[in-house]
Amino acid sequence: MPTSSEGAVTILWNEGTVGEWASLFARVSRSTLPQCFAYAGAMGRTHGFVPRLGLIRRGGAPIGLVQILERRTLRLFHQRQMHRGPLWLDGAEPDLATQEAVFRLLRRACPDNPLNRASLLPELAAGPDAEAMLRRCGFRRFGPGYRTVWLDLSRGEDELRAAMARDWRQRLKGAEKAGLVIDLDWEAKNLPWLMKQEHEQAQTKQFRPMTGALAVRIRNALLKGGGKGDGVLMVAALEGRSDNAAPAASALFYIHGGTATYQIGWSSESGRKSGAMRLVLWRAALALKGRGVGWLDLGGINPDSAPGVTEFKLGTGGQAVESVGLFR
């Protein structure tokens, strides 16, 4: 299935080199982790998925990218997922008619029947027009969309602080005066330790964490030269400067193209009292900004099941968004 067409819109599948894909991916202003090639490689090693890379063109000119993960079981059944895509080049989201043509092509690439299971979480803003368009393309909604907060790091430091909620900014000031020492680790060497904390807090708070194997493999793939600008950052706030200083808070960020995703965050009891996670997130944002990252995806929010986390992320002054839903 090298190319599929719908009028002037085509998707060229699995053509070109990974380097060419990475160069195009770097042109996406707000990329998403599940659409980056390093994520596909980690999902392949962990869960057996194989990526299908699609270059979206209109009139022969590239306008976007889409990555589908595929897995075959028992030689009969196919599972395909396309999460948080397609992505558009240079921040130029096309008109609804062009997007509809793209999703008609994705319907052909991701059939849903007894032998083929599809799961699509489109990176489309929630709304009746988008949902109606997907229904016209043959998709059926079976789950809620993804909700997150986007933080624009292209703004100046003063502007970023001014956009914070007043309480968030005040607690950040308190954390800055608490004597915490910030450690920036651009290789996430202590990720196994952070994943242990993540799994322990998941048992307490009853949420489903990312597996340690997948987290480490995504880190490794990003560090081994996935695409332009790819990498990781693990930030820790330590209670003092001694070699055995206790960590008060820590967070992991994946960098994919010109975007970073806040993946994991943890605080100790004393760290929660001092507001250490606010300092970790703030210093991480500045470090990522200094590296040329333009947007920080703060990860999922849910006001019903995780009101505290939602309030924390919204307090940064970022833009809350919700996608149209989960479809098959």
Side-chain angles (χ1 to χ4, degrees):
M1 193 177 180
T3 306
S4 52
S5 303
E6 181 75 18
V9 177
T10 62
I11 301 182
L12 188 65
W13 294 105
N14 287 349
E15 292 289 329
T17 67
V18 173
E20 290 170 340
W21 172 272
S23 294
L24 288 168
F25 194 86
R27 291 172 53 188
V28 177
S29 59
R30 289 201 328 195
S31 64
T32 58
L33 180 64
Q35 287 291 298
C36 82
F37 189 71
Y39 180 86
M43 286 289 285
R45 291 196 61 193
T46 307
H47 300 296
F49 283 98
V50 175
R52 187 196 295 187
L53 307 180
L55 172 61
I56 304 169
R57 300 187 298 184
R58 181 176 56 195
I63 62 170
L65 301 171
V66 64
Q67 176 172 265
I68 297 173
L69 299 184
E70 303 179 320
R71 180 170 63 183
R72 176 183 291 187
T73 56
L74 301 177
R75 299 191 177 185
L76 291 174
F77 302 98
H78 285 83
Q79 180 183 356
R80 298 179 178 90
Q81 66 179 45
M82 190 286 298
H83 288 178
R84 302 199 66 195
L87 303 176
W88 309 109
L89 303 182
D90 307 318
E93 182 174 316
D95 58 76
L96 196 63
T98 299
Q99 294 189 49
E100 182 164 343
V102 170
F103 278 96
R104 289 189 185 280
L105 296 176
L106 289 176
R107 174 77 291 177
R108 298 177 203 171
C110 301
D112 192 71
N113 55 51
L115 295 181
N116 294 274
R117 273 294 166 209
S119 172
L120 283 86
L121 185 66
E123 193 73 353
L124 292 173
D129 290 344
E131 189 162 351
M133 179 267 286
L134 289 166
R135 286 200 302 268
R136 289 196 300 271
C137 295
F139 293 100
R140 295 176 292 112
R141 192 176 191 270
F142 73 98
Y146 188 73
R147 305 171 74 173
T148 189
V149 176
W150 283 98
L151 192 60
D152 181 0
L153 299 183
S154 68
R155 295 176 291 175
E157 183 175 338
D158 291 342
E159 188 179 353
L160 283 167
R161 288 189 81 116
M164 297 172 182
R166 185 175 64 176
D167 176 68
W168 212 101
R169 188 166 53 248
Q170 289 175 341
R171 293 212 63 193
L172 173 60
K173 290 179 181 177
E176 289 174 325
K177 297 176 181 178
L180 298 169
V181 177
I182 294 296
D183 176 71
L184 302 177
D185 178 3
W186 293 99
E187 297 182 2
K189 296 175 182 176
N190 288 324
L191 181 55
W193 168 84
L194 181 57
M195 293 308 302
K196 181 176 183 295
Q197 314 310 312
E198 167 78 346
H199 282 79
E200 289 178 357
Q201 72 177 354
Q203 292 177 345
T204 302
K205 298 179 181 179
Q206 296 184 333
F207 67 87
R208 184 178 179 180
M210 174 183 281
T211 66
L214 180 58
V216 169
R217 284 167 178 162
I218 294 174
R219 177 201 65 181
N220 293 345
L222 288 169
L223 287 176
K224 288 178 180 176
K228 181 180 179 181
D230 287 356
V232 296
L233 173 61
M234 185 172 161
V235 183
L238 306 175
E239 296 179 336
R241 295 184 177 276
S242 65
D243 292 339
N244 58 352
S250 185
L252 172 70
F253 301 83
Y254 290 130
I255 307 166
H256 36 93
T259 305
T261 294
Y262 170 38
Q263 188 65 44
I264 297 167
W266 167 87
S267 290
S268 68
E269 183 62 33
S270 63
R272 284 188 285 272
K273 292 178 181 178
S274 67
M277 183 53 73
R278 284 169 171 78
L279 183 58
V280 163
L281 184 53
W282 172 242
R283 292 290 297 274
L286 294 181
L288 292 166
K289 175 180 171 64
R291 181 167 166 155
V293 172
W295 287 93
L296 175 56
D297 183 350
L298 291 176
I301 58 173
N302 191 319
D304 298 322
S305 62
V309 171
T310 300
E311 183 180 5
F312 172 78
K313 293 179 180 180
L314 290 174
T316 63
Q319 173 193 4
V321 299
E322 180 179 359
S323 64
V324 64
L326 188 61
F327 289 79
R328 61 164 56 105

